[in-house]
Amino acid sequence: MSLRLYFSVNPNKNHNSLAIIESLSYNNISKGFMMKKAPRFLNLFKIKLPLPAIVSISHRISGVVLSASLIWVAYTLYFLKVCNQYSWQWLTSHPAWYLSGYLILAAFFFHMCSGIRHIWDDFHHTHTLNAAMIGSRYVILISVLLTLLFMLTRWAVS
Amino acid sequence: MNLVTLIWNYRRKGLNDWVSQRFSVIFPIIYVLAVMCYALVGPNLDDWRSYIFSFPMRILGTLAALSVVWHIKIGLWVVVSDYIPRGFLRFASTIAVYVYVWLMLVLFVYLYWSS
């Protein structure tokens, strides 16, 4: 009965063509069809995410980046604790230091803004795609503005 | 479910995690905004040192480190349990997350309060 049901659904008629399905491979014949119903090899480059989804996955990525950036923060704090004037100048003028600082700053403000949007979503204020789209546009705009504002500290210091 | 799975994946106390992940962002945001607004003034090394290691900023920094460690513990657990399948790999990466997080907390407390 279930086999008959399976043959009525052709996995090759995959209309959005997101997945590459190996329907007639050696494994299917040897292990049986029922094991291989789910599409296995998703082609991630063919998936076009809408803007709210991009903001959502970037929230996660920036969170991982920020949790790794604790090492940067601890290194800078340690440097501030022990260094003298010249080594402080060396550190703050080192491109690896301030470029990663820009990256961490941008990740922090993006994570903050999209996290506020997540809380907003948790309380069910985004019912429609339009509201989610507007919210994610505001997230990007405000985080870019905050990042640019605090990137001014570079010129304020020098 | 065997005992190890039960211990490391068991009732994550979802509401507890949800609430603490959302309330633990308050101190880090206050701390980062305080530091970055001070950086807009354009301080030199001695100003930085006396600002960051002043008593109120040490208290705020310790609270921020504690909160951010709690936040990261929950967030990285979510990421690990989303992308890594059950088994030894998830077990090992969960332990790695916890070790990283507690080492960072100890490091920050040491950096703020030593000498």
Side-chain angles (χ1 to χ4, degrees), chain A residues 60 67-68 70-71 74 77 80-81 83-85 88 108 112 122 150 153 156, chain B residues 18 22 29 32 36 39-40 45 49 52 72 78 82-83 100 104 107 111 114:
Chain A
R60 185 163 273 199
S67 51
L70 281 189
I71 297 169
L77 206 61
L80 183 67
K81 204 175 175 59
C83 74
N84 57 20
Q85 188 65 47
W88 179 249
F108 179 82
M112 189 181 81
D122 284 339
F150 287 107
T153 57
Chain B
W18 191 89
R22 274 143 188 83
I29 286 178
V32 170
M36 292 315 294
L40 280 178
L45 175 61
R49 208 171 263 166
I52 295 289
I72 285 172
V78 168
D82 270 357
Y83 296 128
Y100 173 72
M104 278 296 146
L107 182 60
L111 282 174
S114 65

PDB file of all heavy atoms in Angstrom, chain A residues 60 67-68 70-71 74 77 80-81 83-85 88 108 112 122 150 153 156, chain B residues 18 22 29 32 36 39-40 45 49 52 72 78 82-83 100 104 107 111 114:
ATOM      1  N   ARG A  60      22.329  34.906  13.499  1.00  0.00           N
ATOM      2  CA  ARG A  60      23.005  33.714  14.026  1.00  0.00           C
ATOM      3  C   ARG A  60      24.504  33.753  13.725  1.00  0.00           C
ATOM      4  O   ARG A  60      25.330  33.487  14.601  1.00  0.00           O
ATOM      5  CB  ARG A  60      22.362  32.477  13.397  1.00  0.00           C
ATOM      6  CG  ARG A  60      22.863  31.198  13.920  1.00  0.00           C
ATOM      7  CD  ARG A  60      21.937  30.077  13.595  1.00  0.00           C
ATOM      8  NE  ARG A  60      20.896  29.951  14.602  1.00  0.00           N
ATOM      9  CZ  ARG A  60      20.163  28.867  14.781  1.00  0.00           C
ATOM     10  NH1 ARG A  60      20.345  27.838  14.005  1.00  0.00           N
ATOM     11  NH2 ARG A  60      19.252  28.825  15.709  1.00  0.00           N
ATOM     12  N   SER A  67      30.786  35.647  19.680  1.00  0.00           N
ATOM     13  CA  SER A  67      31.257  34.798  20.764  1.00  0.00           C
ATOM     14  C   SER A  67      32.724  34.441  20.583  1.00  0.00           C
ATOM     15  O   SER A  67      33.444  34.246  21.566  1.00  0.00           O
ATOM     16  CB  SER A  67      30.404  33.545  20.869  1.00  0.00           C
ATOM     17  OG  SER A  67      30.301  32.921  19.625  1.00  0.00           O
ATOM     18  N   ALA A  68      33.196  34.396  19.328  1.00  0.00           N
ATOM     19  CA  ALA A  68      34.634  34.211  19.127  1.00  0.00           C
ATOM     20  C   ALA A  68      35.393  35.492  19.432  1.00  0.00           C
ATOM     21  O   ALA A  68      36.573  35.447  19.784  1.00  0.00           O
ATOM     22  CB  ALA A  68      34.915  33.768  17.697  1.00  0.00           C
ATOM     23  N   LEU A  70      35.241  37.391  21.877  1.00  0.00           N
ATOM     24  CA  LEU A  70      35.630  37.573  23.279  1.00  0.00           C
ATOM     25  C   LEU A  70      37.133  37.470  23.439  1.00  0.00           C
ATOM     26  O   LEU A  70      37.718  38.084  24.333  1.00  0.00           O
ATOM     27  CB  LEU A  70      34.953  36.521  24.157  1.00  0.00           C
ATOM     28  CG  LEU A  70      33.508  36.741  24.549  1.00  0.00           C
ATOM     29  CD1 LEU A  70      33.107  35.716  25.575  1.00  0.00           C
ATOM     30  CD2 LEU A  70      33.302  38.124  25.107  1.00  0.00           C
ATOM     31  N   ILE A  71      37.776  36.677  22.557  1.00  0.00           N
ATOM     32  CA  ILE A  71      39.229  36.549  22.604  1.00  0.00           C
ATOM     33  C   ILE A  71      39.885  37.884  22.271  1.00  0.00           C
ATOM     34  O   ILE A  71      40.822  38.326  22.937  1.00  0.00           O
ATOM     35  CB  ILE A  71      39.672  35.438  21.633  1.00  0.00           C
ATOM     36  CG1 ILE A  71      39.096  34.092  22.088  1.00  0.00           C
ATOM     37  CG2 ILE A  71      41.164  35.349  21.551  1.00  0.00           C
ATOM     38  CD1 ILE A  71      39.249  33.003  21.085  1.00  0.00           C
ATOM     39  N   ALA A  74      39.383  40.238  25.214  1.00  0.00           N
ATOM     40  CA  ALA A  74      40.249  39.891  26.340  1.00  0.00           C
ATOM     41  C   ALA A  74      41.690  40.272  26.036  1.00  0.00           C
ATOM     42  O   ALA A  74      42.399  40.779  26.919  1.00  0.00           O
ATOM     43  CB  ALA A  74      40.140  38.395  26.638  1.00  0.00           C
ATOM     44  N   LEU A  77      41.956  44.022  26.412  1.00  0.00           N
ATOM     45  CA  LEU A  77      41.885  44.395  27.826  1.00  0.00           C
ATOM     46  C   LEU A  77      43.208  44.096  28.521  1.00  0.00           C
ATOM     47  O   LEU A  77      43.713  44.901  29.322  1.00  0.00           O
ATOM     48  CB  LEU A  77      40.750  43.621  28.475  1.00  0.00           C
ATOM     49  CG  LEU A  77      40.088  44.227  29.697  1.00  0.00           C
ATOM     50  CD1 LEU A  77      39.472  45.554  29.340  1.00  0.00           C
ATOM     51  CD2 LEU A  77      39.005  43.295  30.188  1.00  0.00           C
ATOM     52  N   LEU A  80      45.696  46.648  27.416  1.00  0.00           N
ATOM     53  CA  LEU A  80      45.449  47.916  28.106  1.00  0.00           C
ATOM     54  C   LEU A  80      45.967  47.872  29.533  1.00  0.00           C
ATOM     55  O   LEU A  80      46.424  48.872  30.077  1.00  0.00           O
ATOM     56  CB  LEU A  80      43.948  48.207  28.100  1.00  0.00           C
ATOM     57  CG  LEU A  80      43.483  49.518  28.701  1.00  0.00           C
ATOM     58  CD1 LEU A  80      43.971  50.664  27.854  1.00  0.00           C
ATOM     59  CD2 LEU A  80      41.988  49.544  28.795  1.00  0.00           C
ATOM     60  N   LYS A  81      45.923  46.694  30.122  1.00  0.00           N
ATOM     61  CA  LYS A  81      46.348  46.555  31.505  1.00  0.00           C
ATOM     62  C   LYS A  81      47.858  46.657  31.638  1.00  0.00           C
ATOM     63  O   LYS A  81      48.354  47.262  32.580  1.00  0.00           O
ATOM     64  CB  LYS A  81      45.864  45.190  32.023  1.00  0.00           C
ATOM     65  CG  LYS A  81      45.710  45.084  33.511  1.00  0.00           C
ATOM     66  CD  LYS A  81      45.120  43.734  33.833  1.00  0.00           C
ATOM     67  CE  LYS A  81      45.044  43.526  35.311  1.00  0.00           C
ATOM     68  NZ  LYS A  81      44.221  44.542  35.982  1.00  0.00           N
ATOM     69  N   CYS A  83      50.341  47.419  28.959  1.00  0.00           N
ATOM     70  CA  CYS A  83      51.239  48.001  27.968  1.00  0.00           C
ATOM     71  C   CYS A  83      51.688  49.399  28.369  1.00  0.00           C
ATOM     72  O   CYS A  83      51.162  50.015  29.298  1.00  0.00           O
ATOM     73  CB  CYS A  83      50.562  48.067  26.607  1.00  0.00           C
ATOM     74  SG  CYS A  83      49.323  49.349  26.530  1.00  0.00           S
ATOM     75  N   ASN A  84      52.668  49.917  27.631  1.00  0.00           N
ATOM     76  CA  ASN A  84      53.061  51.309  27.775  1.00  0.00           C
ATOM     77  C   ASN A  84      52.553  52.094  26.575  1.00  0.00           C
ATOM     78  O   ASN A  84      51.819  51.568  25.741  1.00  0.00           O
ATOM     79  CB  ASN A  84      54.582  51.422  27.917  1.00  0.00           C
ATOM     80  CG  ASN A  84      55.308  50.802  26.745  1.00  0.00           C
ATOM     81  OD1 ASN A  84      54.726  50.616  25.687  1.00  0.00           O
ATOM     82  ND2 ASN A  84      56.573  50.486  26.941  1.00  0.00           N
ATOM     83  N   GLN A  85      52.971  53.362  26.483  1.00  0.00           N
ATOM     84  CA  GLN A  85      52.452  54.259  25.455  1.00  0.00           C
ATOM     85  C   GLN A  85      52.761  53.754  24.052  1.00  0.00           C
ATOM     86  O   GLN A  85      51.903  53.755  23.172  1.00  0.00           O
ATOM     87  CB  GLN A  85      53.067  55.641  25.657  1.00  0.00           C
ATOM     88  CG  GLN A  85      52.490  56.723  24.788  1.00  0.00           C
ATOM     89  CD  GLN A  85      51.040  56.996  25.118  1.00  0.00           C
ATOM     90  OE1 GLN A  85      50.679  57.140  26.273  1.00  0.00           O
ATOM     91  NE2 GLN A  85      50.198  57.054  24.096  1.00  0.00           N
ATOM     92  N   TRP A  88      50.907  50.530  23.047  1.00  0.00           N
ATOM     93  CA  TRP A  88      49.490  50.866  22.809  1.00  0.00           C
ATOM     94  C   TRP A  88      49.326  51.497  21.432  1.00  0.00           C
ATOM     95  O   TRP A  88      48.385  51.197  20.690  1.00  0.00           O
ATOM     96  CB  TRP A  88      48.996  51.807  23.905  1.00  0.00           C
ATOM     97  CG  TRP A  88      47.570  52.222  23.754  1.00  0.00           C
ATOM     98  CD1 TRP A  88      47.109  53.463  23.439  1.00  0.00           C
ATOM     99  CD2 TRP A  88      46.396  51.400  23.927  1.00  0.00           C
ATOM    100  NE1 TRP A  88      45.740  53.460  23.395  1.00  0.00           N
ATOM    101  CE2 TRP A  88      45.277  52.212  23.694  1.00  0.00           C
ATOM    102  CE3 TRP A  88      46.210  50.051  24.245  1.00  0.00           C
ATOM    103  CZ2 TRP A  88      43.979  51.727  23.766  1.00  0.00           C
ATOM    104  CZ3 TRP A  88      44.916  49.572  24.323  1.00  0.00           C
ATOM    105  CH2 TRP A  88      43.821  50.410  24.082  1.00  0.00           C
ATOM    106  N   PHE A 108      28.337  43.466  16.345  1.00  0.00           N
ATOM    107  CA  PHE A 108      27.625  43.742  17.599  1.00  0.00           C
ATOM    108  C   PHE A 108      26.359  44.543  17.352  1.00  0.00           C
ATOM    109  O   PHE A 108      25.279  44.198  17.849  1.00  0.00           O
ATOM    110  CB  PHE A 108      28.526  44.511  18.570  1.00  0.00           C
ATOM    111  CG  PHE A 108      27.829  44.843  19.852  1.00  0.00           C
ATOM    112  CD1 PHE A 108      27.736  43.910  20.853  1.00  0.00           C
ATOM    113  CD2 PHE A 108      27.231  46.083  20.048  1.00  0.00           C
ATOM    114  CE1 PHE A 108      27.076  44.203  22.030  1.00  0.00           C
ATOM    115  CE2 PHE A 108      26.562  46.374  21.215  1.00  0.00           C
ATOM    116  CZ  PHE A 108      26.491  45.432  22.209  1.00  0.00           C
ATOM    117  N   MET A 112      22.605  43.314  17.883  1.00  0.00           N
ATOM    118  CA  MET A 112      21.739  44.014  18.827  1.00  0.00           C
ATOM    119  C   MET A 112      20.412  44.397  18.169  1.00  0.00           C
ATOM    120  O   MET A 112      19.336  44.113  18.719  1.00  0.00           O
ATOM    121  CB  MET A 112      22.459  45.262  19.332  1.00  0.00           C
ATOM    122  CG  MET A 112      21.766  45.960  20.461  1.00  0.00           C
ATOM    123  SD  MET A 112      22.653  47.435  20.977  1.00  0.00           S
ATOM    124  CE  MET A 112      22.121  48.598  19.747  1.00  0.00           C
ATOM    125  N   ASP A 122       8.781  37.945  18.940  1.00  0.00           N
ATOM    126  CA  ASP A 122       8.311  37.021  19.971  1.00  0.00           C
ATOM    127  C   ASP A 122       6.973  37.448  20.544  1.00  0.00           C
ATOM    128  O   ASP A 122       6.181  36.616  20.969  1.00  0.00           O
ATOM    129  CB  ASP A 122       9.335  36.942  21.101  1.00  0.00           C
ATOM    130  CG  ASP A 122      10.530  36.116  20.706  1.00  0.00           C
ATOM    131  OD1 ASP A 122      10.392  35.315  19.765  1.00  0.00           O
ATOM    132  OD2 ASP A 122      11.588  36.282  21.314  1.00  0.00           O
ATOM    133  N   PHE A 150      30.073  54.937  15.351  1.00  0.00           N
ATOM    134  CA  PHE A 150      31.142  54.581  16.285  1.00  0.00           C
ATOM    135  C   PHE A 150      32.440  54.250  15.575  1.00  0.00           C
ATOM    136  O   PHE A 150      33.473  54.116  16.224  1.00  0.00           O
ATOM    137  CB  PHE A 150      30.688  53.445  17.187  1.00  0.00           C
ATOM    138  CG  PHE A 150      29.700  53.906  18.210  1.00  0.00           C
ATOM    139  CD1 PHE A 150      28.371  53.577  18.099  1.00  0.00           C
ATOM    140  CD2 PHE A 150      30.103  54.727  19.235  1.00  0.00           C
ATOM    141  CE1 PHE A 150      27.460  54.037  19.037  1.00  0.00           C
ATOM    142  CE2 PHE A 150      29.200  55.190  20.171  1.00  0.00           C
ATOM    143  CZ  PHE A 150      27.873  54.836  20.071  1.00  0.00           C
ATOM    144  N   THR A 153      35.157  57.006  16.000  1.00  0.00           N
ATOM    145  CA  THR A 153      36.116  57.054  17.098  1.00  0.00           C
ATOM    146  C   THR A 153      37.551  56.910  16.608  1.00  0.00           C
ATOM    147  O   THR A 153      38.472  57.400  17.230  1.00  0.00           O
ATOM    148  CB  THR A 153      35.833  55.921  18.084  1.00  0.00           C
ATOM    149  OG1 THR A 153      35.882  54.681  17.367  1.00  0.00           O
ATOM    150  CG2 THR A 153      34.487  56.083  18.717  1.00  0.00           C
ATOM    151  N   ALA A 156      38.507  60.286  15.833  1.00  0.00           N
ATOM    152  CA  ALA A 156      38.533  61.084  17.058  1.00  0.00           C
ATOM    153  C   ALA A 156      39.790  60.811  17.855  1.00  0.00           C
ATOM    154  O   ALA A 156      40.335  61.704  18.495  1.00  0.00           O
ATOM    155  CB  ALA A 156      37.293  60.777  17.893  1.00  0.00           C
TER     156      ALA A 156
ATOM    157  N   TRP B  18      14.832  30.997  27.647  1.00  0.00           N
ATOM    158  CA  TRP B  18      14.259  32.086  26.836  1.00  0.00           C
ATOM    159  C   TRP B  18      14.369  33.403  27.580  1.00  0.00           C
ATOM    160  O   TRP B  18      14.863  34.400  27.060  1.00  0.00           O
ATOM    161  CB  TRP B  18      12.796  31.749  26.531  1.00  0.00           C
ATOM    162  CG  TRP B  18      12.167  32.618  25.505  1.00  0.00           C
ATOM    163  CD1 TRP B  18      12.155  32.428  24.169  1.00  0.00           C
ATOM    164  CD2 TRP B  18      11.439  33.823  25.755  1.00  0.00           C
ATOM    165  NE1 TRP B  18      11.470  33.438  23.558  1.00  0.00           N
ATOM    166  CE2 TRP B  18      11.021  34.308  24.515  1.00  0.00           C
ATOM    167  CE3 TRP B  18      11.096  34.537  26.902  1.00  0.00           C
ATOM    168  CZ2 TRP B  18      10.291  35.471  24.374  1.00  0.00           C
ATOM    169  CZ3 TRP B  18      10.374  35.703  26.772  1.00  0.00           C
ATOM    170  CH2 TRP B  18       9.973  36.154  25.515  1.00  0.00           C
ATOM    171  N   ARG B  22      17.088  36.674  26.971  1.00  0.00           N
ATOM    172  CA  ARG B  22      16.632  38.005  26.603  1.00  0.00           C
ATOM    173  C   ARG B  22      16.975  39.065  27.633  1.00  0.00           C
ATOM    174  O   ARG B  22      17.175  40.223  27.290  1.00  0.00           O
ATOM    175  CB  ARG B  22      15.133  37.984  26.303  1.00  0.00           C
ATOM    176  CG  ARG B  22      14.895  37.596  24.867  1.00  0.00           C
ATOM    177  CD  ARG B  22      13.691  36.741  24.684  1.00  0.00           C
ATOM    178  NE  ARG B  22      13.605  36.231  23.325  1.00  0.00           N
ATOM    179  CZ  ARG B  22      14.257  35.166  22.891  1.00  0.00           C
ATOM    180  NH1 ARG B  22      15.065  34.517  23.685  1.00  0.00           N
ATOM    181  NH2 ARG B  22      14.112  34.759  21.640  1.00  0.00           N
ATOM    182  N   ILE B  29      24.954  45.572  26.599  1.00  0.00           N
ATOM    183  CA  ILE B  29      24.616  46.736  25.775  1.00  0.00           C
ATOM    184  C   ILE B  29      25.001  48.017  26.495  1.00  0.00           C
ATOM    185  O   ILE B  29      25.607  48.922  25.899  1.00  0.00           O
ATOM    186  CB  ILE B  29      23.117  46.725  25.413  1.00  0.00           C
ATOM    187  CG1 ILE B  29      22.846  45.655  24.356  1.00  0.00           C
ATOM    188  CG2 ILE B  29      22.673  48.074  24.885  1.00  0.00           C
ATOM    189  CD1 ILE B  29      21.401  45.541  23.981  1.00  0.00           C
ATOM    190  N   VAL B  32      28.934  48.255  26.385  1.00  0.00           N
ATOM    191  CA  VAL B  32      29.505  48.601  25.077  1.00  0.00           C
ATOM    192  C   VAL B  32      29.166  50.039  24.706  1.00  0.00           C
ATOM    193  O   VAL B  32      30.029  50.778  24.217  1.00  0.00           O
ATOM    194  CB  VAL B  32      29.005  47.612  24.003  1.00  0.00           C
ATOM    195  CG1 VAL B  32      29.379  48.092  22.619  1.00  0.00           C
ATOM    196  CG2 VAL B  32      29.601  46.255  24.240  1.00  0.00           C
ATOM    197  N   MET B  36      31.946  52.844  24.035  1.00  0.00           N
ATOM    198  CA  MET B  36      32.049  53.474  22.724  1.00  0.00           C
ATOM    199  C   MET B  36      31.736  54.965  22.790  1.00  0.00           C
ATOM    200  O   MET B  36      32.325  55.759  22.062  1.00  0.00           O
ATOM    201  CB  MET B  36      31.125  52.786  21.725  1.00  0.00           C
ATOM    202  CG  MET B  36      31.525  51.380  21.370  1.00  0.00           C
ATOM    203  SD  MET B  36      33.263  51.150  21.031  1.00  0.00           S
ATOM    204  CE  MET B  36      33.447  52.112  19.546  1.00  0.00           C
ATOM    205  N   ALA B  39      34.785  56.472  23.893  1.00  0.00           N
ATOM    206  CA  ALA B  39      35.765  56.495  22.813  1.00  0.00           C
ATOM    207  C   ALA B  39      35.518  57.650  21.852  1.00  0.00           C
ATOM    208  O   ALA B  39      36.447  58.118  21.194  1.00  0.00           O
ATOM    209  CB  ALA B  39      35.734  55.173  22.045  1.00  0.00           C
ATOM    210  N   LEU B  40      34.284  58.133  21.769  1.00  0.00           N
ATOM    211  CA  LEU B  40      33.996  59.279  20.895  1.00  0.00           C
ATOM    212  C   LEU B  40      34.690  60.544  21.385  1.00  0.00           C
ATOM    213  O   LEU B  40      34.944  61.455  20.610  1.00  0.00           O
ATOM    214  CB  LEU B  40      32.486  59.521  20.832  1.00  0.00           C
ATOM    215  CG  LEU B  40      31.667  58.638  19.903  1.00  0.00           C
ATOM    216  CD1 LEU B  40      30.209  58.999  20.023  1.00  0.00           C
ATOM    217  CD2 LEU B  40      32.120  58.813  18.470  1.00  0.00           C
ATOM    218  N   LEU B  45      45.905  56.829  26.365  1.00  0.00           N
ATOM    219  CA  LEU B  45      46.063  55.557  27.073  1.00  0.00           C
ATOM    220  C   LEU B  45      45.723  55.666  28.565  1.00  0.00           C
ATOM    221  O   LEU B  45      45.006  54.822  29.109  1.00  0.00           O
ATOM    222  CB  LEU B  45      47.500  55.062  26.898  1.00  0.00           C
ATOM    223  CG  LEU B  45      47.863  53.807  27.683  1.00  0.00           C
ATOM    224  CD1 LEU B  45      47.019  52.640  27.269  1.00  0.00           C
ATOM    225  CD2 LEU B  45      49.327  53.487  27.506  1.00  0.00           C
ATOM    226  N   ARG B  49      42.805  53.783  30.622  1.00  0.00           N
ATOM    227  CA  ARG B  49      43.110  52.895  31.725  1.00  0.00           C
ATOM    228  C   ARG B  49      42.320  53.292  32.972  1.00  0.00           C
ATOM    229  O   ARG B  49      41.718  52.457  33.646  1.00  0.00           O
ATOM    230  CB  ARG B  49      44.611  52.952  32.006  1.00  0.00           C
ATOM    231  CG  ARG B  49      45.156  51.710  32.601  1.00  0.00           C
ATOM    232  CD  ARG B  49      46.647  51.777  32.644  1.00  0.00           C
ATOM    233  NE  ARG B  49      47.279  51.107  31.522  1.00  0.00           N
ATOM    234  CZ  ARG B  49      48.543  51.268  31.203  1.00  0.00           C
ATOM    235  NH1 ARG B  49      49.295  52.094  31.887  1.00  0.00           N
ATOM    236  NH2 ARG B  49      49.054  50.613  30.187  1.00  0.00           N
ATOM    237  N   ILE B  52      38.462  52.396  32.166  1.00  0.00           N
ATOM    238  CA  ILE B  52      38.056  50.987  32.102  1.00  0.00           C
ATOM    239  C   ILE B  52      38.238  50.314  33.459  1.00  0.00           C
ATOM    240  O   ILE B  52      37.404  49.523  33.878  1.00  0.00           O
ATOM    241  CB  ILE B  52      38.883  50.253  31.022  1.00  0.00           C
ATOM    242  CG1 ILE B  52      38.574  50.793  29.626  1.00  0.00           C
ATOM    243  CG2 ILE B  52      38.610  48.753  31.042  1.00  0.00           C
ATOM    244  CD1 ILE B  52      37.232  50.431  29.095  1.00  0.00           C
ATOM    245  N   ILE B  72      25.888  33.591  25.632  1.00  0.00           N
ATOM    246  CA  ILE B  72      26.638  32.808  24.649  1.00  0.00           C
ATOM    247  C   ILE B  72      26.450  31.322  24.899  1.00  0.00           C
ATOM    248  O   ILE B  72      26.351  30.529  23.959  1.00  0.00           O
ATOM    249  CB  ILE B  72      28.121  33.207  24.688  1.00  0.00           C
ATOM    250  CG1 ILE B  72      28.313  34.550  24.016  1.00  0.00           C
ATOM    251  CG2 ILE B  72      28.991  32.194  24.000  1.00  0.00           C
ATOM    252  CD1 ILE B  72      29.692  35.072  24.179  1.00  0.00           C
ATOM    253  N   VAL B  78      22.185  26.377  21.184  1.00  0.00           N
ATOM    254  CA  VAL B  78      21.144  26.312  20.157  1.00  0.00           C
ATOM    255  C   VAL B  78      21.756  26.028  18.792  1.00  0.00           C
ATOM    256  O   VAL B  78      21.289  25.165  18.044  1.00  0.00           O
ATOM    257  CB  VAL B  78      20.335  27.633  20.136  1.00  0.00           C
ATOM    258  CG1 VAL B  78      19.460  27.712  18.917  1.00  0.00           C
ATOM    259  CG2 VAL B  78      19.498  27.749  21.379  1.00  0.00           C
ATOM    260  N   ASP B  82      21.353  22.644  16.592  1.00  0.00           N
ATOM    261  CA  ASP B  82      20.675  22.727  15.303  1.00  0.00           C
ATOM    262  C   ASP B  82      21.466  22.054  14.193  1.00  0.00           C
ATOM    263  O   ASP B  82      20.893  21.433  13.310  1.00  0.00           O
ATOM    264  CB  ASP B  82      20.458  24.194  14.907  1.00  0.00           C
ATOM    265  CG  ASP B  82      19.131  24.703  15.416  1.00  0.00           C
ATOM    266  OD1 ASP B  82      18.404  23.897  16.001  1.00  0.00           O
ATOM    267  OD2 ASP B  82      18.840  25.893  15.234  1.00  0.00           O
ATOM    268  N   TYR B  83      22.792  22.222  14.199  1.00  0.00           N
ATOM    269  CA  TYR B  83      23.569  21.841  13.025  1.00  0.00           C
ATOM    270  C   TYR B  83      24.370  20.568  13.199  1.00  0.00           C
ATOM    271  O   TYR B  83      24.852  20.004  12.218  1.00  0.00           O
ATOM    272  CB  TYR B  83      24.500  22.978  12.622  1.00  0.00           C
ATOM    273  CG  TYR B  83      23.757  24.208  12.199  1.00  0.00           C
ATOM    274  CD1 TYR B  83      24.014  25.453  12.742  1.00  0.00           C
ATOM    275  CD2 TYR B  83      22.750  24.107  11.256  1.00  0.00           C
ATOM    276  CE1 TYR B  83      23.314  26.555  12.366  1.00  0.00           C
ATOM    277  CE2 TYR B  83      22.042  25.204  10.869  1.00  0.00           C
ATOM    278  CZ  TYR B  83      22.328  26.432  11.426  1.00  0.00           C
ATOM    279  OH  TYR B  83      21.617  27.519  11.049  1.00  0.00           O
ATOM    280  N   TYR B 100      34.761  26.692  26.890  1.00  0.00           N
ATOM    281  CA  TYR B 100      35.139  28.005  26.339  1.00  0.00           C
ATOM    282  C   TYR B 100      34.508  29.123  27.135  1.00  0.00           C
ATOM    283  O   TYR B 100      35.148  30.105  27.525  1.00  0.00           O
ATOM    284  CB  TYR B 100      34.724  28.060  24.870  1.00  0.00           C
ATOM    285  CG  TYR B 100      34.902  29.398  24.220  1.00  0.00           C
ATOM    286  CD1 TYR B 100      36.157  29.883  23.918  1.00  0.00           C
ATOM    287  CD2 TYR B 100      33.798  30.188  23.892  1.00  0.00           C
ATOM    288  CE1 TYR B 100      36.324  31.105  23.329  1.00  0.00           C
ATOM    289  CE2 TYR B 100      33.956  31.411  23.298  1.00  0.00           C
ATOM    290  CZ  TYR B 100      35.217  31.868  23.022  1.00  0.00           C
ATOM    291  OH  TYR B 100      35.368  33.085  22.443  1.00  0.00           O
ATOM    292  N   MET B 104      36.340  31.873  29.521  1.00  0.00           N
ATOM    293  CA  MET B 104      36.247  33.299  29.222  1.00  0.00           C
ATOM    294  C   MET B 104      35.778  34.076  30.437  1.00  0.00           C
ATOM    295  O   MET B 104      36.286  35.162  30.714  1.00  0.00           O
ATOM    296  CB  MET B 104      35.285  33.515  28.049  1.00  0.00           C
ATOM    297  CG  MET B 104      35.914  33.296  26.704  1.00  0.00           C
ATOM    298  SD  MET B 104      37.197  34.522  26.432  1.00  0.00           S
ATOM    299  CE  MET B 104      38.356  33.576  25.499  1.00  0.00           C
ATOM    300  N   LEU B 107      38.652  34.351  32.786  1.00  0.00           N
ATOM    301  CA  LEU B 107      39.638  35.269  32.230  1.00  0.00           C
ATOM    302  C   LEU B 107      39.224  36.722  32.444  1.00  0.00           C
ATOM    303  O   LEU B 107      40.035  37.558  32.853  1.00  0.00           O
ATOM    304  CB  LEU B 107      39.805  34.964  30.742  1.00  0.00           C
ATOM    305  CG  LEU B 107      40.821  35.774  29.955  1.00  0.00           C
ATOM    306  CD1 LEU B 107      42.178  35.578  30.559  1.00  0.00           C
ATOM    307  CD2 LEU B 107      40.820  35.337  28.517  1.00  0.00           C
ATOM    308  N   LEU B 111      41.022  39.543  34.612  1.00  0.00           N
ATOM    309  CA  LEU B 111      41.517  40.777  34.010  1.00  0.00           C
ATOM    310  C   LEU B 111      40.976  42.002  34.730  1.00  0.00           C
ATOM    311  O   LEU B 111      41.669  43.008  34.870  1.00  0.00           O
ATOM    312  CB  LEU B 111      41.114  40.843  32.534  1.00  0.00           C
ATOM    313  CG  LEU B 111      41.942  40.015  31.576  1.00  0.00           C
ATOM    314  CD1 LEU B 111      41.352  40.057  30.197  1.00  0.00           C
ATOM    315  CD2 LEU B 111      43.351  40.548  31.535  1.00  0.00           C
ATOM    316  N   SER B 114      42.330  41.478  39.059  1.00  0.00           N
ATOM    317  CA  SER B 114      43.688  41.210  39.533  1.00  0.00           C
ATOM    318  C   SER B 114      44.444  42.519  39.692  1.00  0.00           C
ATOM    319  O   SER B 114      44.248  43.460  38.915  1.00  0.00           O
ATOM    320  CB  SER B 114      44.423  40.311  38.542  1.00  0.00           C
ATOM    321  OG  SER B 114      44.602  40.984  37.335  1.00  0.00           O
TER     322      SER B 114
END
